[in-house]
Amino acid sequence: MPGLLSSPVFLTVIWLLSLRLGRAQIQTDEVSAVQYGHMQSNVTLACGKSQVRMPVTWRLDHGAVLPWHQVTSDGTLLLLHADHSAQGNYSCHDSRGLLLHSVRLRLGYPPGKLNVSCRVPNHTHVRCSWTEQVRTFLPAEYTASFRGRHDLQPCVLNVARKHCDVNNLSFWQTMHTLNLTETNALGSETTLHSVKLINQLQPNPPESLVVEPLEGHPRRLLVSWDYPVSWPLDDAFLLIFHIRYRPQGSVYWSEVFTSDSHVVITDALAGHLHQVQIQARDEFNSDTKWSEWSPLLLVRPWEAVSSTTEPPEETFTDYLFPFGTKPETSTAKSHNSVHPEDEGSLGLVILLVMLTVVILTIILSLIFVVWVRQRRHDHVTKQELNSMVKMKSVPI
Ligand SMILES: *[C@@H]1O[C@H](CO)[C@@H](O)[C@H](O)[C@H]1NC(C)=O
Ligand SMILES: *[C@@H]1O[C@H](CO)[C@@H](O)[C@H](O)[C@H]1NC(C)=O
Ligand SMILES: *[C@@H]1O[C@H](CO)[C@@H](O)[C@H](O)[C@H]1NC(C)=O
């Protein structure tokens, strides 16, 4: 046995094992030792748990220059007003250069309040999304719950997408509160957000919008669509639809409201390309929101093939104020759909109108001047005649 213990092979095995264990020990230290600090503040890094009584040197990331710092007598490193660039792997070494301790420093801020908004695409689903008011630069964990007067439900988190979902909402009450807590290494913050479901109920836009010309009808368009898939097909929850359309280039929309799943437009402008869009809302509750608009569709009504005179290809401009339409009042997005060329031709029209007005004014004032002079001349001639008559009647 003693022979075995002193055998060179055994000793080598022991030495190799201790080497591996030692290295593993250092590695786990490196991986596990993360210290978090407040950005823009003084951060202290200790050289191991026990105070070191000998002089130590600190290194950062394999030789990078240390940021602004002090080393105290017990070997603690004090980083002054540490910022982003102070983050990294720090190690302290004894006078012979042997590694005593290493630590990874990450800097950031404690969480702040979150900006929360919730969407309700049908009567049983709520999705709340958030954005940070404070950028923390640190990994965080979240908890979320959705509380009504009689119930408490989890809000299922998707931290990467920064939202949470309440599925199968059990009670349709007016007020609910989302309780969302963010926690990181430096602190924790809870945000409470009140949701009035009825005001947030907003269907997704109707789907599969189709606009078709009707053969033999140059002023008609058949518009049809489907309920959004996220809205239940149930007589208890009906939608009302708002369709709007206009000749391409016009700024005036015509509109139709219906609860059906299709509608026939009868006053399209023959031969012109038309833009058509649709949105939806809960039929019974006008406090709820209209959906976003569906994407614009471009369709031209049916045209007789035999027509020799090609219909004007250029876009329609509003020379005439169409009846039963209302001017664009909604979003800038719709304004964007007016092409720049249209704006150019509109400018040209305004210029022409102004020019006409100026010319008319000049002609009218000329006529007026001529008329006034003529009148004065007439007047004078009349007076002369009068006086002549008078002179004649005077007895000589
Ligand atoms: C950081 O430490 C320096 C030097 O000890 C001190 O002058 C300064 O006031 C400290 N700053 C903060 C924010 O504590
Ligand atoms: C610091 O060490 C950790 C763990 O060993 C490593 O993942 C990280 O990339 C290192 N950081 C730098 C800046 O070297
Ligand atoms: C309500 O909307 C959610 C999200 O779009 C969907 O997953 C769910 O199936 C919808 N519920 C019904 C009853 O359609």
Side-chain angles (χ1 to χ4, degrees):
M1 199 62 174
L4 181 67
L5 274 180
S6 55
S7 89
V9 176
F10 185 76
L11 285 178
T12 314
V13 169
I14 294 283
W15 177 71
L16 276 175
L17 267 178
S18 65
L19 204 71
R20 283 194 66 87
L21 278 175
R23 197 182 291 160
Q25 192 59 45
I26 290 172
Q27 272 176 3
T28 45
D29 261 348
E30 274 177 2
V31 171
S32 62
V34 179
Q35 184 174 333
Y36 294 93
H38 281 71
M39 193 93 74
Q40 315 293 352
S41 73
N42 293 340
V43 175
T44 47
L45 298 177
C47 181
K49 290 185 188 76
S50 54
Q51 292 187 347
V52 191
R53 283 283 164 234
M54 51 187 166
V56 299
T57 49
W58 281 91
R59 293 184 198 155
L60 166 61
D61 287 336
H62 315 293
V65 181
L66 284 177
W68 189 27
H69 69 282
Q70 292 168 356
V71 180
T72 61
S73 58
D74 61 357
T76 302
L77 177 68
L78 175 63
L79 297 171
L80 298 163
H81 204 72
D83 66 7
H84 264 292
S85 63
Q87 297 187 104
N89 293 326
Y90 288 81
S91 55
C92 60
H93 304 257
D94 67 10
S95 51
R96 284 175 298 157
L98 275 179
L99 175 68
L100 296 171
H101 181 72
S102 73
V103 63
R104 180 170 174 213
L105 178 64
R106 290 195 64 175
L107 297 172
Y109 298 99
K113 290 278 186 216
L114 301 170
N115 293 325
V116 180
S117 67
C118 298
R119 290 201 50 191
V120 186
N122 57 42
H123 290 80
T124 56
H125 191 99
V126 182
R127 170 168 290 182
C128 297
S129 315
W130 70 84
T131 56
E132 292 96 1
Q133 291 183 13
V134 174
R135 234 187 121 189
T136 65
F137 303 101
L138 297 179
E141 285 182 354
Y142 296 84
T143 60
S145 65
F146 200 66
R147 183 189 292 277
R149 199 135 50 93
H150 307 298
D151 63 327
L152 177 68
Q153 284 186 277
C155 194
V156 182
L157 286 155
N158 183 333
V159 173
R161 295 236 163 111
K162 296 186 180 174
H163 65 62
C164 71
D165 290 289
V166 184
N167 303 304
N168 307 315
L169 192 64
S170 48
F171 289 92
W172 180 261
Q173 296 159 4
T174 40
M175 292 304 291
H176 283 79
T177 304
L178 176 76
N179 186 322
L180 182 61
T181 302
E182 179 183 358
T183 306
N184 70 17
L186 300 179
S188 177
E189 181 74 55
T190 296
T191 303
L192 298 177
H193 179 74
S194 294
V195 189
K196 197 169 180 184
L197 291 183
I198 201 75
N199 289 347
Q200 299 308 318
L201 179 63
Q202 182 185 34
N204 288 323
E207 289 165 23
S208 320
L209 177 65
V210 175
V211 186
E212 295 165 289
L214 280 175
E215 194 171 338
H217 299 279
R219 300 201 59 196
R220 294 193 175 187
L221 289 171
L222 173 63
V223 187
S224 58
W225 57 89
D226 288 337
Y227 265 57
V229 285
S230 59
W231 194 268
L233 278 176
D234 180 339
D235 284 346
F237 306 107
L238 293 178
L239 289 175
I240 186 170
F241 300 98
H242 176 196
I243 299 99
R244 65 178 186 181
Y245 56 98
R246 62 183 176 189
Q248 192 182 22
S250 169
V251 292
Y252 300 104
W253 291 102
S254 302
E255 34 188 31
V256 183
F257 291 84
T258 181
S259 318
D260 293 340
S261 60
H262 68 274
V263 79
V264 176
I265 294 171
T266 54
D267 59 351
L269 198 64
H272 279 271
L273 214 49
H274 283 69
Q275 299 176 322
V276 185
Q277 256 183 328
I278 187 169
Q279 60 174 185
R281 200 199 63 200
D282 182 75
E283 180 166 32
F284 298 111
N285 209 321
S286 56
D287 289 338
T288 60
K289 289 184 177 174
W290 281 102
S291 73
E292 304 276 312
W293 285 104
S294 69
L296 265 183
L297 281 191
L298 276 179
V299 180
R300 194 188 297 277
W302 173 87
E303 289 169 84
V305 185
S306 59
S307 79
T308 42
T309 49
E310 274 287 306
E313 189 58 41
E314 87 286 356
T315 53
F316 173 84
T317 34
D318 296 287
Y319 298 114
L320 306 165
F321 196 102
F323 292 101
T325 60
K326 78 177 176 57
E328 178 74 74
T329 47
S330 53
T331 63
K333 196 166 90 199
S334 322
H335 273 294
N336 288 348
S337 61
V338 176
H339 294 302
E341 312 97 86
D342 300 343
E343 281 169 15
S345 63
L346 188 69
L348 201 69
V349 169
I350 291 174
L351 202 74
L352 281 178
V353 168
M354 278 167 62
L355 214 69
T356 317
V357 167
V358 168
I359 291 173
L360 270 179
T361 315
I362 292 173
I363 292 177
L364 279 178
S365 35
L366 276 177
I367 290 176
F368 181 70
V369 166
V370 169
W371 178 71
V372 164
R373 290 185 60 167
Q374 188 63 42
R375 228 184 110 103
R376 204 178 285 153
H377 183 73
D378 284 352
H379 195 63
V380 171
T381 339
K382 231 178 184 171
Q383 274 184 346
E384 278 171 9
L385 264 176
N386 272 348
S387 51
M388 267 164 71
V389 169
K390 272 184 197 152
M391 272 163 61
K392 266 192 184 156
S393 61
V394 171
I396 306 171

